[in-house]
Amino acid sequence: MPDPLEAGWNNEAVCEVVEDNAKIRVLKCTFAPGVGHEKHYHNPHFGYTLAGSQFRIKDTTGIREVNVPTDYSFSKEAISTHEVLNIGDSTAVFLIIEYK
């Protein structure tokens, strides 16, 4: 299964590396309306929403639709997997900070 950098949408990259050093890797992931992120895994990480939208999320708990607001932060302490799709009408941008 790909990590968030390797995973894309319809063979197009959605994330880019902003910083990569001995302690962290920072990704900036951008999702225009109708663009998602194929199923992928995340190592433990902290995330921050630079610009929010509405998403359909599919993970181990099922499928749900959520509004992800701008300036929202989240974190996971364990490896996780999911697939997402921006079903809103605005472009969403996230920073993902992965711990090494």
Side-chain angles (χ1 to χ4, degrees):
M1 182 178 313
D3 75 7
L5 181 61
E6 297 165 333
W9 189 254
N10 295 329
N11 296 316
E12 296 289 330
V14 294
C15 296
E16 62 183 287
V17 176
V18 176
E19 176 70 30
D20 193 354
N21 61 46
K23 294 185 180 182
I24 61 169
R25 180 173 77 165
V26 180
L27 303 176
K28 180 180 177 185
C29 303
T30 304
F31 305 97
V35 172
H37 207 181
E38 68 189 22
K39 187 174 182 180
H40 60 282
Y41 77 92
H42 283 276
N43 286 321
H45 64 279
F46 171 83
Y48 184 79
T49 308
L50 296 171
S53 191
Q54 185 176 13
F55 281 84
R56 181 173 300 126
I57 301 171
K58 182 178 180 182
D59 62 16
T60 57
T61 65
I63 299 172
R64 64 192 179 283
E65 294 182 0
V66 298
N67 288 314
V68 182
T70 297
D71 295 327
Y72 174 75
S73 63
F74 53 93
S75 63
K76 296 280 186 172
E77 296 300 321
I79 294 174
S80 60
T81 62
H82 67 196
E83 178 179 332
V84 301
L85 175 64
N86 183 350
I87 59 173
D89 58 7
S90 59
T91 298
V93 183
F94 297 87
L95 287 179
I96 306 294
I97 298 98
E98 301 172 321
Y99 313 113
K100 291 187 177 178

